[in-house]
Amino acid sequence: MTEVAGGPGDRRANYGTGRTLINREDARMAPEEFAISAQEREDEVVVDVRGEIDLSTAPVLDQRLSELADAQRLVVDLTGVTFLDSSGLGVLVRTSNKLEDHDGSIRLVVNHPQVLKVLEITGLASTLPVFRTLEQALST
Amino acid sequence: VSPAESSGLSGPKLTHTVELSFAADSDLVMLARLVAAAAASKVGFDIEQVEDVRLAVDELCLALIRAHSPEGRLQLAFAWSDDTVEVVASHVLGPGAPAAAAGRRQPDEELSSRILDALVDEHGVEDSSGTPRAWLRVRRAQEA
């Protein structure tokens, strides 16, 4: 790993997801900390994102992905993301456009049902490459 | 008069109400998501639909914050009955607050609209009284 952003010192990183309220069998508060880490490989960069992507955290993601947008291929691993709203979707679309400007590409890794659903209902699942596992995203 | 009452959305069958008020700060929108999840759970929505309501209420707040900048306060009224959740979000702006940006919708707003169209039964915005409002209504999904 080359860098970790959005750590405990980041005010935007420290809040809960609220998911515990909907799980009646496990009503504990279990904050998901927003975090981004990037790992550079040969001609691609794998970005691991965790926590909730909303209007508060999307600017952090936007800045980090913008810094990495000169990569030939950017794999954004969202398997640790539990919430994604339109502000986060906008970041992914803008990053994809930046990559396409220099013939680069983006790949998303998604396995959380709600995150996948948001991509589908907005039509982005058909315009952005979505993979269920990181291995699949890296092997094709 | 609460936002729900003044909007005319809260009908007699919506017997439970919760009101929430907080600074229109993006860091605090998670509070609205928490209450949304609680209300949807109370109605007996399944986990998937609880998640839907949580996201829809988030988008309701975003619509107001995007349009009017993070100033003033957001007031949310949650009302629910046996099978329906209604939420009215009002953006209470101080004097001299900037007017909503006019013109074409930004890409994020278009995405937000698609999300709301897909997740709730009805939604809308109104700005006639000087206090911008966004609202939604979602009914319990029928079991297959």
Side-chain angles (χ1 to χ4, degrees), chain A residues 11 16-19 21-22 24 52 54-56 83-87 90 94 114 117-118 121-122, chain B residues 26-27 30 33-34 37 41 47-48 50-52 54-55 58-59 62 66 108 111-112 114-115 118-119:
Chain A
R11 184 170 66 98
T17 67
R19 287 180 57 80
L21 278 183
I22 64 169
R24 292 172 173 174
E52 299 194 324
D54 60 11
L55 190 60
S56 178
F83 182 85
L84 176 64
D85 68 12
S86 59
S87 56
R94 286 191 291 277
Q114 184 71 9
K117 181 175 183 175
V118 175
I121 63 179
T122 54
Chain B
S26 60
D27 284 349
M30 52 85 68
R33 298 202 297 264
L34 285 167
S41 294
I47 288 178
E48 181 179 354
V50 169
E51 288 278 335
D52 290 349
R54 203 164 75 95
L55 176 56
D58 176 270
E59 296 294 344
L62 264 56
R66 281 189 184 120
D108 289 7
L111 292 167
S112 186
R114 287 187 212 172
I115 290 171
L119 298 186

Side-chain angles (χ1 to χ4, degrees), chain B residues 5 9 13 39 41 72 75 85 87 99 114 124 126 131:
Chain B
E5 290 167 335
L9 281 176
K13 65 179 181 179
S41 294
Q75 291 183 349
V85 173
V87 183
R114 287 187 212 172
E126 53 186 71
T131 299

Side-chain angles (χ1 to χ4, degrees), chain A residues 5-140:
Chain A
D10 188 334
R11 184 170 66 98
R12 288 165 293 201
N14 295 320
Y15 57 81
T17 67
R19 287 180 57 80
T20 49
L21 278 183
I22 64 169
N23 186 342
R24 292 172 173 174
E25 295 180 359
D26 182 4
R28 295 169 299 172
M29 293 297 291
E32 291 275 353
E33 184 175 286
F34 181 74
I36 307 171
S37 61
Q39 185 173 26
E40 294 185 30
R41 302 180 180 220
E42 292 177 0
D43 58 349
E44 65 190 3
V45 178
V46 178
V47 182
D48 181 74
V49 188
R50 298 188 170 275
E52 299 194 324
I53 305 175
D54 60 11
L55 190 60
S56 178
T57 57
V60 181
L61 180 64
D62 196 19
Q63 179 177 349
R64 191 66 188 106
L65 294 184
S66 293
E67 293 167 357
L68 299 168
D70 58 351
Q72 193 59 37
R73 189 164 76 175
L74 194 60
V75 178
V76 183
D77 186 349
L78 300 171
T79 55
V81 170
T82 56
F83 182 85
L84 176 64
D85 68 12
S86 59
S87 56
L89 292 173
V91 170
L92 297 175
V93 171
R94 286 191 291 277
T95 302
S96 176
N97 292 339
K98 288 174 189 170
L99 287 158
E100 287 180 358
D101 285 344
H102 63 81
D103 294 326
S105 63
I106 191 171
R107 292 184 171 194
L108 306 180
V109 185
V110 179
N111 64 10
H112 190 283
Q114 184 71 9
V115 175
L116 194 57
K117 181 175 183 175
V118 175
L119 289 165
E120 289 172 347
I121 63 179
T122 54
L124 296 181
S126 60
T127 58
L128 300 176
V130 178
F131 298 83
R132 290 302 186 97
T133 68
L134 182 59
E135 289 70 27
Q136 290 173 350
L138 296 176
S139 65
T140 55

Side-chain angles (χ1 to χ4, degrees), chain B residues 28-107:
Chain B
L28 300 178
V29 173
M30 52 85 68
L31 297 171
R33 298 202 297 264
L34 285 167
V35 178
S41 294
K42 287 287 186 185
V43 174
F45 287 0
D46 63 24
I47 288 178
E48 181 179 354
Q49 204 174 11
V50 169
E51 288 278 335
D52 290 349
V53 173
R54 203 164 75 95
L55 176 56
V57 169
D58 176 270
E59 296 294 344
L60 218 58
C61 296
L62 264 56
L64 295 174
I65 292 175
R66 281 189 184 120
H68 301 280
S69 79
E71 296 183 14
R73 296 185 68 80
L74 289 187
Q75 291 183 349
L76 282 86
F78 299 81
W80 65 91
S81 65
D82 290 342
D83 64 352
T84 302
V85 173
E86 293 182 355
V87 183
V88 181
S90 305
H91 197 164
V92 181
L93 298 160
R104 292 180 57 185
R105 281 202 295 193
Q106 298 300 307

